[in-house]
Amino acid sequence: MIRAHTSDVEINGILKEESRGGVTYTRHFNQSEDYFLKLSEPFEVPSFSIHHDIRQSEPTPEYIKTLRRFMVQLKSLVPDLFADLVYIFDPAEVLRPTFYRLYRLEERYYLFHLRIDLVFRPQRHEVVVRGTNDTTPVYRTDHLVLDSNIIPLKDVRGSSSTPELFVVDELISETWIGETGRGYFVQGIWIDSDLTKFFSKLMMPRGKRIYPYYPFNSKFRTVCLSPLEPEATKRRVMIPVLHRSRVFLEPHLERIQQVLREQEFQESLPLFQEIKETVPPELESHWAPVSMKVYLNEDDMKEFQVIIDAES
């Protein structure tokens, strides 16, 4: 379940304002597999309080005022990214503001869920004003880090205009399968990464390599789709892509989970090969135009630029 928590009338008003222009940008992944837009001009991220009691579902007045000012700036730079979205405050993620949009297809709800990541990264961000033990630094950057997913829902509690709770259609059972290590070095083992690779490789043309991008993932204990183009004009077309892929995957999900609890994902797995033979060509062809250009950034760190061939 995803709680809507508290929204903000002023931020939603900013998001609804008609904006023209904006800046140009390209799409990238960094070495840590974070997705970001590289803007043609930098923006400044203000200082936020580091601490917030997650039991408090309301943002502090100082926090929300700061976020309002920042969203005016960000909306002017990338207006189509935030067009038609609604803000919700997540007390557990104060440095990752959250936005959403509800869609409906064939009597099923789908939630577009977007987080913008404002966590300071010393190697990539230019400090304007140093932070303290209680506040983040003011910094400048041309990298807008995003995490977006389209999530299938089972129900929406409240009304579609003022939802209180998004009930995820949980298509995947428990993904925790055990622990490794001893003492302080104990680590949990989950199969989410293997599920993500299985789903994504299954739906791509054979031989297609677009690492570090995996379109489908098992977040929120369901089959989600992470769009490369999360803008309002582009994301809508991804709803039917997830819908058709989900309908195809559902009959196979239990067997896929059983196999991955016993073996790490490899394309040579018999079950993978069996299901791959039945994937409809129209689902695979959607990813044919996508490719990755590998390069080194200014710090000699590997990054990946997303290339989408408009003519394919």
Side-chain angles (χ1 to χ4, degrees):
M1 294 186 294
I2 301 173
R3 295 192 178 277
H5 293 290
T6 304
S7 191
D8 182 74
V9 173
E10 288 193 35
I11 290 180
N12 291 336
I14 294 166
L15 301 182
K16 289 179 180 178
E17 290 176 359
E18 184 176 350
S19 301
R20 296 181 180 179
V23 300
T24 58
Y25 51 85
T26 49
R27 308 170 196 277
H28 303 255
F29 287 88
N30 62 24
Q31 191 164 280
S32 300
E33 303 183 12
D34 297 318
Y35 176 70
F36 66 93
L37 304 180
K38 186 173 183 179
L39 279 56
S40 56
E41 62 182 66
F43 58 94
E44 189 171 286
V45 178
S47 177
F48 290 94
S49 174
I50 295 172
H51 310 291
H52 181 84
D53 189 339
I54 62 173
R55 295 170 295 182
Q56 299 297 320
S57 61
E58 298 279 345
T60 64
E62 180 183 2
Y63 173 86
I64 205 67
K65 287 179 183 177
T66 303
L67 185 60
R68 288 168 185 164
R69 292 194 297 269
F70 176 65
M71 289 310 301
V72 170
Q73 175 192 188
L74 204 56
K75 176 73 186 312
S76 69
L77 293 174
V78 282
D80 198 33
L81 179 64
F82 295 100
D84 75 14
L85 296 184
V86 176
Y87 166 72
I88 49 175
F89 173 70
D90 184 346
E93 294 283 3
V94 292
L95 295 181
R96 294 180 175 87
T98 304
F99 307 83
Y100 79 89
R101 172 67 187 250
L102 267 178
Y103 295 91
R104 193 167 186 174
L105 178 63
E106 296 184 6
E107 304 305 314
R108 295 190 180 186
Y109 281 111
Y110 289 89
L111 176 71
F112 174 71
H113 186 269
L114 170 71
R115 290 193 192 276
I116 56 174
D117 191 337
L118 304 181
V119 174
F120 175 66
R121 291 169 168 79
Q123 289 186 322
R124 301 303 302 151
H125 296 157
E126 176 190 352
V127 174
V128 178
V129 179
R130 292 181 62 181
T132 68
N133 290 336
D134 300 313
T135 60
T136 63
V138 177
Y139 67 87
R140 186 178 295 112
T141 181
D142 59 0
H143 287 38
L144 180 60
V145 180
L146 309 174
D147 178 31
S148 64
N149 285 280
I150 301 170
I151 307 165
L153 299 181
K154 189 174 184 178
D155 191 16
V156 178
R157 306 274 175 84
S159 67
S160 57
S161 58
T162 55
E164 300 172 2
L165 190 69
F166 303 112
V167 183
V168 176
D169 191 358
E170 295 186 350
L171 303 173
I172 296 169
S173 57
E174 179 61 63
T175 59
W176 181 83
I177 59 173
E179 296 178 338
T180 184
R182 301 177 63 182
Y184 289 109
F185 301 99
V186 169
Q187 293 182 325
I189 305 172
W190 286 265
I191 60 171
D192 295 276
S193 177
D194 285 313
L195 285 169
T196 293
K197 293 174 184 176
F198 197 115
F199 298 156
S200 298
K201 293 289 185 181
L202 195 64
M203 309 309 272
M204 285 188 223
R206 288 189 184 275
K208 188 74 174 178
R209 296 289 182 267
I210 52 176
Y211 173 84
Y213 177 53
Y214 293 103
F216 297 91
N217 62 69
S218 66
K219 293 179 181 178
F220 304 99
R221 293 181 66 173
T222 192
V223 179
C224 300
L225 173 57
S226 180
L228 280 173
E229 298 177 291
E231 299 87 346
T233 54
K234 303 290 182 66
R235 79 174 87 98
R236 181 181 292 273
V237 302
M238 301 305 294
I239 306 299
V241 173
L242 174 57
H243 182 75
R244 293 194 297 268
S245 301
R246 165 192 177 177
V247 170
F248 172 79
L249 283 168
E250 279 190 69
H252 306 291
L253 288 176
E254 187 55 43
R255 284 202 301 159
I256 291 172
Q257 292 174 82
Q258 289 175 358
V259 167
L260 294 180
R261 288 189 183 102
E262 299 174 359
Q263 303 177 63
E264 292 185 357
F265 171 73
Q266 298 180 35
E267 291 185 53
S268 59
L269 287 173
L271 179 62
F272 179 85
Q273 294 298 325
E274 175 191 332
I275 302 174
K276 183 65 175 171
E277 292 296 327
T278 66
V279 177
E282 61 270 20
L283 293 182
E284 295 182 326
S285 63
H286 184 83
W287 310 106
V290 181
S291 61
M292 293 290 169
K293 178 183 177 182
V294 185
Y295 64 96
L296 296 179
N297 64 21
E298 301 88 342
D299 300 313
D300 289 328
M301 302 290 286
K302 185 185 291 186
E303 289 185 346
F304 308 80
Q305 181 176 352
V306 178
I307 308 295
I308 302 176
D309 186 355
E311 297 182 358
S312 296

